[in-house]
Amino acid sequence: MLKVAIKRHMTATFSVLTVVFLCLIAISGLASLSALRQLSYSNYDTSGHAVVQLRLHYNLLLSELQVLEIEHPESSVENAKLQYDFVYQRLRNLPFRPPYNSFLTGPELARLEQIFSFVAAEADRFDSAHAADTSGLIGVRDRLVPLSEEINRLAGRIIQLAGEYRDQRRGEITRSTQFLIWSIIGLVLTGTVFAFLFWRSQRSLRNQNRELEAASDELIKANQAKSEFLALMSHELRTPLNAIIGFSDMISHEVFGQIGDKKYIEYSNDIKQSGDHLLHLINDILDLSKIEAGKYQLEPSHFNLHAAITDAIRIVALAGQGGSSRIKLSLSDDVGNLFAGRRSFRQIMINILSNADKYTPIGDDIKVSASNNQDGSIDIRVADDGIGISEADIKHVLEPFGQSRQDSSLTHEGTGLGLAISKQLMELNGGTLSLTSEVGIGTTVLLHFPDQFTRLEVALE
Amino acid sequence: MTFISRTFCQRVLTASLISTLAVAIYLAPMKFADAAMAKPNGKTLLVVTGKISETNVGTEAHLDRVMLRSIGMKKLKTSNQYEPGVHDYEGVMLNDLLSFLSASGATLVASALDGYSIEIPVHDVERYPVILAMIKNGKQMTVREKGPIWIIYPIDQFEELKDQKYSSRSIWQLNRIDVQ
């Protein structure tokens, strides 16, 4: 019992652990997935490039302006205007561009805005410049050169921050993936330990089963040995008993001449009565042993119920105290034949009627009735007005050697095996024997033979 | 008899050859003029080269703003990775442009004014309404505002377009497409 309790406790623990690890896997899996999605949607891997391109175009703009100042070639005007547009566009967008807007500090963003406004202030000069007149662009370079160093410094800072930002995102994915892996390892370990313990408990359960089967086999063998011993002993006991009964009968009947003292006749009668009782007891034990050993031959057949009951009543009336007239038989018209072991039925009826006769005071009636039920079964009732049995004792009287406690005050002759044998014979016939009784009012024994038609069919197969 | 017959035959053959050639020469320019695209009147915004049937400057198709607009303008309201917020973009559907030029390639190599270049699978254009945006929030885009043409994917309309690779295909300051 203690082992079972521990196993239950362990099962609960493992179930909880499994659920916990499954939850952890789900959570870390979702976290990994969301981090990966984030990376796929906006990894900003190339976020450093924008600022690098700004630097490139800024330097190109300065070069074009320098060429313009020295040589005034026509193509340089358009080139310078284009480079200016590139620089303008990139500087304009940089402070708003994710993730710059998230990792640059307030002063840095403000400085970027400031640089943009310096550059944007030159827009009109570029707009009005054309191949024929480049005078507006003279001096622009001198104003833009000092910003170059600052743009370079900002570019370096942005590239560094972008790298850190990227590493941070990747770190998140690595952490959630590691967490996922550990959760899976935890689940696998839990499962392995659980599987091992389960296997071990199954093994011990199998061993226990084997031991129980072995013990059960031994018990069956021991019971069989007991039954066989009793059957053998009963048989062996009857031989000398027949001599005792026979010779004591001869003595009491003074077969070979008169006996001097009448005391001897009295004693020989006692010997015969005791012998009869002993023979009766041995016969009952023999029957019970046969039933328990499974050697009782039932030999079921169809027989007339009325004739069989009448026959049993006659035998009981002969040996009993009240005569046959007080046993009233009432059979319903539809009751014809019964399909059962005939010898066993006779034995059951004699046992029950003897009991009824034994425990019913002279002058009171014993009622025997039989009826056919709708489901094809047959009920036989034997009701008496005898001393009755208390509810607590009903269970005892159906066990071998279980006479009712009241017997101790009223000495009735009997082995105490009659009802037990009858019950077992009824069960052998596929039926049941049940008792209803009330102390002082009487007892009713109900013999229930189930569905006759089906039983007949089974028997014929 | 034989002489006359041979000369006659030669003459008839020569005359028919000459007349066929003359008709061909006469008709050829008309036929080509029917099929050829008009040359751009304004400043060329986009040059398309490669596997296209419709051309107007050598083997290239040069398109100005008017020509592009005539293909049909479409509107697209979406956000993108480069700027905060959602904006209204307007321009020519890239797929419409390819049909207009009877393009037959599988890849578009798109280049920008600054020389930056990326590849766009034609598959993208067929599956999604990708536009060559020229107008942003009702205003024509200048080079200073990523114009004159910016390729815009409908990333707010299609969840899968949020992937980084589509962002990198959204090239701005576009001026050249090579159909391969």
Side-chain angles (χ1 to χ4, degrees):
Chain A
M1 201 59 202
L2 185 69
K3 275 187 177 177
V4 173
I6 288 170
K7 273 176 202 157
R8 275 185 195 153
H9 167 71
M10 275 160 64
T11 311
T13 309
F14 280 111
S15 303
V16 168
L17 273 175
T18 307
V19 169
V20 166
F21 279 117
L22 279 174
C23 287
L24 286 177
I25 286 173
I27 291 166
S28 51
L30 281 175
S32 285
L33 205 65
S34 124
L36 278 168
R37 251 172 118 85
Q38 190 67 26
L39 192 76
S40 139
Y41 285 174
S42 47
N43 65 9
Y44 302 120
D45 269 4
T46 58
S47 53
H49 294 189
V51 80
V52 171
Q53 279 179 319
L54 169 68
R55 268 189 66 201
L56 174 81
H57 291 300
Y58 201 81
N59 291 333
L60 280 170
L61 172 63
L62 293 179
S63 306
E64 294 292 350
L65 288 171
Q66 194 172 21
V67 172
L68 204 67
E69 283 174 7
I70 299 164
E71 298 172 19
H72 308 282
E74 277 182 28
S75 62
S76 269
V77 181
E78 285 311 308
N79 284 344
K81 284 171 88 167
L82 192 61
Q83 292 303 330
Y84 177 77
D85 285 350
F86 292 153
V87 169
Y88 184 101
Q89 179 256 313
R90 291 208 173 267
L91 263 176
R92 171 72 280 182
N93 284 297
L94 224 48
F96 308 110
R97 186 187 166 114
Y100 296 1
N101 51 0
S102 63
F103 62 58
L104 280 176
T105 62
E108 281 166 340
L109 286 169
R111 187 60 196 142
L112 256 174
E113 285 279 358
Q114 232 173 346
I115 293 171
F116 170 70
S117 54
F118 271 125
V119 173
E122 308 289 347
D124 287 345
R125 289 188 182 82
F126 281 92
D127 288 344
S128 57
H130 47 88
D133 180 16
T134 59
S135 58
L137 296 178
I138 306 301
V140 173
R141 186 173 178 272
D142 291 342
R143 288 194 289 278
L144 293 184
V145 165
L147 293 176
S148 183
E149 197 185 332
E150 205 166 355
I151 287 175
N152 284 347
R153 209 172 43 247
L154 264 172
R157 169 120 177 98
I158 286 172
I159 289 167
Q160 185 193 345
L161 287 173
E164 283 173 14
Y165 179 85
R166 195 176 53 224
D167 291 346
Q168 203 181 329
R169 296 285 91 78
R170 292 197 174 145
E172 281 166 16
I173 293 172
T174 311
R175 272 194 299 281
S176 52
T177 310
Q178 276 173 348
F179 194 61
L180 180 66
I181 291 168
W182 282 116
S183 305
I184 291 171
I185 290 173
L187 184 70
V188 169
L189 281 178
T190 310
T192 311
V193 172
F194 184 66
F196 171 72
L197 290 176
F198 185 70
W199 169 76
R200 215 178 56 174
S201 80
Q202 286 292 97
R203 197 184 55 176
S204 79
L205 208 65
R206 272 201 301 276
N207 288 344
Q208 276 177 8
N209 272 347
R210 266 203 291 275
E211 283 166 18
L212 276 175
E213 273 170 25
S216 165
D217 281 350
E218 273 180 31
L219 275 175
I220 290 168
K221 274 183 201 161
N223 197 39
Q224 270 178 351
K226 181 205 79 178
S227 297
E228 279 167 17
F229 170 76
L230 281 176
L232 189 70
M233 283 310 291
S234 305
H235 185 71
E236 293 299 321
L237 284 172
R238 276 203 294 196
T239 315
L241 204 53
N242 282 333
I244 292 168
I245 292 167
F247 289 130
S248 60
D249 200 29
M250 281 170 77
I251 293 166
S252 62
H253 284 95
E254 295 171 322
V255 176
F256 299 109
Q258 285 212 326
I259 299 165
D261 198 331
K262 289 294 170 193
K263 275 270 175 204
Y264 288 119
I265 294 174
E266 203 179 310
Y267 290 154
S268 69
N269 274 334
D270 286 348
I271 292 170
K272 188 186 176 283
Q273 268 175 22
S274 299
D276 281 340
H277 181 73
L278 195 57
L279 185 63
H280 193 57
L281 185 65
I282 287 166
N283 282 340
D284 278 357
I285 290 174
L286 192 61
D287 281 344
L288 201 62
S289 304
K290 271 186 185 169
I291 294 167
E292 281 186 356
K295 285 177 180 166
Y296 192 94
Q297 299 293 323
L298 200 61
E299 291 164 6
S301 65
H302 252 85
F303 55 87
N304 186 279
L305 195 57
H306 186 269
I309 295 175
T310 315
D311 187 32
I313 291 173
R314 193 172 44 79
I315 292 165
V316 173
L318 270 177
Q321 49 179 339
S324 64
S325 59
R326 71 172 186 150
I327 303 179
K328 310 283 184 211
L329 175 63
S330 71
L331 281 178
S332 58
D333 294 339
D334 55 345
V335 175
N337 286 349
L338 179 71
F339 184 77
R342 182 163 190 161
R343 190 162 61 86
S344 66
F345 179 74
R346 189 167 175 268
Q347 202 170 345
I348 293 164
M349 283 312 292
I350 290 171
N351 276 339
I352 291 167
L353 287 169
S354 303
N355 272 347
D357 184 55
K358 222 181 327 182
Y359 294 110
T360 305
I362 295 167
D364 286 343
D365 285 343
I366 298 164
K367 295 181 199 74
V368 180
S369 62
S371 62
N372 224 337
N373 295 323
Q374 275 190 338
D375 61 355
S377 59
I378 291 178
D379 284 348
I380 298 164
R381 284 185 179 77
V382 178
D384 64 50
D385 302 330
I387 53 171
I389 310 162
S390 73
E391 206 173 317
D393 284 337
I394 286 179
K395 207 169 77 183
H396 290 294
V397 298
L398 293 171
E399 286 169 3
F401 304 105
Q403 280 187 336
S404 168
R405 297 238 171 97
Q406 289 164 328
D407 282 10
S408 51
S409 56
L410 295 159
T411 50
H412 291 288
E413 194 186 335
T415 59
L417 287 172
L419 268 176
I421 290 171
S422 300
K423 184 171 179 283
Q424 295 206 16
L425 285 175
M426 274 308 287
E427 282 164 8
L428 217 57
N429 274 299
T432 54
L433 183 152
S434 52
L435 271 181
T436 46
S437 185
E438 215 169 313
V439 177
I441 292 179
T443 306
T444 301
V445 179
L446 170 65
L447 305 177
H448 177 79
F449 289 92
D451 186 6
Q452 291 291 296
F453 187 71
T454 314
R455 277 174 53 74
L456 181 61
E457 293 257 297
V458 171
L460 288 174
E461 270 175 12
Chain B
M1 188 68 186
T2 317
F3 175 69
I4 293 165
S5 151
R6 190 184 295 157
T7 316
F8 179 74
C9 284
Q10 276 175 343
R11 277 178 186 168
V12 168
L13 211 69
T14 313
S16 58
L17 262 172
I18 288 168
S19 57
T20 312
L21 209 66
V23 168
I25 289 167
Y26 176 74
L27 288 175
M30 277 177 68
K31 192 167 162 51
F32 287 146
D34 271 357
M37 270 169 63
K39 286 199 170 19
N41 293 319
K43 192 185 170 198
T44 299
L45 291 191
L46 183 66
V47 175
V48 185
T49 60
K51 293 180 179 171
I52 49 170
S53 306
E54 305 296 329
T55 55
N56 56 5
V57 178
T59 57
E60 300 178 344
H62 288 222
L63 299 131
D64 64 7
R65 193 174 296 279
V66 177
M67 290 167 80
L68 282 168
R69 287 187 79 102
S70 71
I71 296 171
M73 297 291 273
K74 295 277 157 53
K75 282 184 181 171
L76 182 61
K77 192 185 181 80
T78 183
S79 61
N80 64 61
Q81 203 196 320
Y82 303 104
E83 293 175 335
V86 179
H87 305 281
D88 287 307
Y89 297 94
E90 210 178 320
V92 182
M93 284 243 292
L94 193 42
N95 203 28
D96 289 351
L97 173 75
L98 296 180
S99 308
F100 179 73
L101 300 174
S102 307
S104 60
T107 309
L108 309 174
V109 180
S111 312
L113 288 167
D114 63 356
Y116 178 72
S117 161
I118 46 97
E119 285 187 6
I120 297 172
V122 171
H123 176 258
D124 275 12
V125 177
E126 289 167 348
R127 178 176 281 194
Y128 308 108
V130 181
I131 66 163
L132 298 169
M134 295 186 285
I135 294 166
K136 178 183 165 190
N137 299 329
K139 236 184 100 205
Q140 211 165 280
M141 287 189 284
T142 63
V143 177
R144 290 174 196 171
E145 292 149 334
K146 295 194 169 80
I149 300 171
W150 186 0
I151 290 184
I152 298 288
Y153 276 78
I155 70 166
D156 286 1
Q157 287 74 18
F158 299 91
E159 187 66 19
E160 66 270 27
L161 295 183
K162 290 201 165 68
D163 197 286
Q164 180 68 22
K165 67 181 177 193
Y166 296 105
S167 291
S168 60
R169 287 173 193 171
S170 302
I171 184 170
W172 60 72
Q173 290 163 345
L174 177 79
N175 73 333
R176 199 176 187 87
I177 294 174
D178 185 29
V179 183
Q180 294 184 344

